[in-house]
Amino acid sequence: MADRDTGDPDIRKGMPSVKLSREEFERRYRARFADPVFRPLEAELNAIIAAAWDAYSNSRKAPLARKAGPGFAYPDYEIAIDWLVAREALLAAQRRHDDGNERLRILLINGSSRSEHTCPGEMSKTWRLVKLAEPVFVEMGFVVDILDLSRLASEFGKQIHPCKACVSTSMALCHWPCSCYPNYSLGQTDDWMNKIYPLWVAAHGIMIVAPVNWYHAPTALKSMIDRLVCADGGNPDPSSTHGKTVAEAKALELKGWPYPRHLAGRYFGIVVHGDSVGAETLRRSLSDWLTDMSLISAGRMAEADGYVGYMAPYATSHQALDEDTAFQQEVLNVARALGNAVRLSRAGKLENPAKNLVVPEPK
């Protein structure tokens, strides 16, 4: 039996997304301006809605574009300026990474969505562990970049939009960096990933500290993980597929895609903490993910999972962390092991044992 419309435009069974009517589009757009402070601006709001409807109804995803230029498969192809700017940031980050005269860099990631700036009004234990690890790297002489993913929940204009899984159609359709956003016609702007990609590229070592949520990564961390798929085999030239032309992407992949690992060779460390279940599961998943992208574990001491206040009340969890000096030392050891691996690698004393080996099935 065919699925039918439920009557609610937000609840449809088995139906693809469809263009909104002018009325529904305006209803959703106006919902952003519910604050009474906007009421005196009705005329201005009407004009803005009319312009937004024009962009939406004509599907102007990337209204600002220019010719790709030299170095692209099709130099005359029009590419979004947003993407070109993001690409330049990646290239600059890669130059910093490769420059032997630059100081070594560590990317330290807070994977928790919780912070004192959101509804709990209380600092997360994850953030405390991040700040515990930071001085270790500073004392070892590293430049430390902290990526605080909790900002997604507490800061205006910070979003990581969902991965559209272009790679499931063709690896060549998944561009590096991601070309799916911003999409101005759909209001999918303020995407943070174009700022996050260069942090990963510039880093020589990455340390992720995260809580476990229901056996899985927190929403903010998982969103970043999904959008990093383009770093694992992604196409650095959108002109080669004329944007999102499926037939061209499939033909390109079937000719023999090289699956370039854009983050290969960087070292990683992981800390996962929980209060009852799932910490080991998530630590293994993160390790497998990073290894699949051809990053290198800094060793067993650089991967830690444990329970803070195991099966104890949430209300005393910060006290439990204060008292758990052993787990604190494990976190410090992860930082030390990662820092040592990066320094040994720079000195030519630690090489990837898989160097120069060819993967028979690179996907």
Side-chain angles (χ1 to χ4, degrees):
M1 187 170 78
D3 290 321
R4 62 183 179 84
D5 195 332
T6 64
D8 185 334
D10 291 328
I11 305 174
R12 300 178 185 274
K13 295 182 178 180
M15 296 179 65
S17 59
V18 295
K19 281 284 187 180
L20 300 178
S21 67
R22 176 67 171 79
E23 293 74 18
E24 178 61 18
F25 177 86
E26 181 169 345
R27 182 188 71 80
R28 296 188 186 187
Y29 205 95
R30 283 188 180 279
R32 305 177 182 188
F33 302 94
D35 191 320
V37 73
F38 292 106
R39 287 176 186 167
L41 304 174
E42 186 67 19
E44 291 86 347
L45 187 54
N46 286 337
I48 290 172
I49 290 174
W53 168 252
D54 183 73
Y56 170 78
S57 60
N58 289 289
S59 299
R60 286 198 297 277
K61 172 185 181 290
L64 301 177
R66 67 168 174 81
K67 294 185 185 301
F72 289 87
Y74 297 94
D76 289 335
Y77 177 72
E78 295 275 330
I79 292 185
I81 291 176
D82 294 283
W83 187 87
L84 290 169
V85 171
R87 174 179 179 268
E88 284 303 314
L90 286 191
L91 294 175
Q94 188 66 54
R95 287 192 294 270
R96 288 197 302 274
H97 175 274
D98 297 342
D99 188 345
N101 295 318
E102 288 274 348
R103 289 172 63 192
L104 293 165
R105 304 185 79 92
I106 296 292
L107 176 59
L108 185 51
I109 300 174
N110 171 30
S112 176
S113 299
R114 172 183 169 85
S115 79
E116 67 272 33
H117 305 296
T118 59
C119 52
E122 184 174 83
M123 181 184 296
S124 72
K125 293 181 290 297
T126 309
W127 178 252
R128 290 182 58 191
L129 296 175
V130 164
K131 297 303 287 183
L132 183 67
E134 182 185 15
V136 174
F137 295 119
V138 172
E139 290 168 10
M140 295 179 80
F142 292 101
V143 176
V144 181
D145 295 314
I146 294 181
L147 174 57
D148 180 8
L149 293 175
S150 75
R151 293 170 65 187
L152 288 168
S154 63
E155 188 174 317
F156 180 84
K158 278 283 182 283
Q159 298 188 62
I160 295 179
H161 292 291
C163 177
K164 296 178 181 177
C166 300
V167 67
S168 294
T169 293
S170 169
M171 190 73 246
L173 202 64
C174 181
H175 300 140
W176 168 250
C178 176
S179 65
C180 291
Y181 304 101
N183 185 326
Y184 290 98
S185 67
L186 295 180
Q188 295 171 339
T189 59
D190 301 318
D191 187 65
W192 198 7
M193 287 306 299
N194 281 346
K195 300 294 185 183
I196 290 175
Y197 291 132
L199 294 175
W200 279 78
V201 173
H204 300 88
I206 292 96
M207 179 172 171
I208 298 176
V209 186
V212 57
N213 292 359
W214 290 116
Y215 295 89
H216 295 285
T219 303
L221 178 58
K222 186 58 168 66
S223 295
M224 181 188 69
I225 288 172
D226 287 351
R227 291 287 304 285
L228 277 164
V229 66
C230 57
D232 189 47
N235 181 358
D237 184 0
S239 81
S240 67
T241 56
H242 288 88
K244 296 291 185 177
T245 305
V246 170
E248 291 186 23
K250 288 185 175 182
L252 195 59
E253 183 178 15
L254 292 174
K255 283 174 62 178
W257 190 251
Y259 296 96
R261 265 61 184 188
H262 300 289
L263 297 174
R266 290 156 178 81
Y267 287 85
F268 70 83
I270 299 169
V271 174
V272 175
H273 65 93
D275 54 67
S276 57
V277 293
E280 184 179 17
T281 300
L282 177 57
R283 190 262 303 163
R284 286 176 170 172
S285 293
L286 292 175
S287 181
D288 286 348
W289 161 62
L290 291 163
T291 302
D292 283 351
M293 291 203 300
S294 296
L295 281 78
I296 306 167
S297 173
R300 183 64 189 92
M301 293 295 286
E303 297 186 37
D305 59 76
Y307 296 96
V308 177
Y310 179 70
M311 298 301 288
Y314 294 109
T316 57
S317 62
H318 277 278
Q319 179 182 343
L321 177 56
D322 290 337
E323 296 170 353
D324 197 341
T325 56
F327 188 68
Q328 292 177 36
Q329 284 300 318
E330 286 193 58
V331 174
L332 294 173
N333 282 341
V334 170
R336 292 172 185 134
L338 176 58
N340 286 336
V342 172
R343 291 203 301 190
L344 287 169
S345 178
R346 169 62 69 87
K349 298 179 180 180
L350 180 63
E351 286 195 8
N352 180 4
K355 184 179 179 180
N356 298 324
L357 297 182
V358 178
V359 179
E361 295 181 290
K363 181 179 182 296

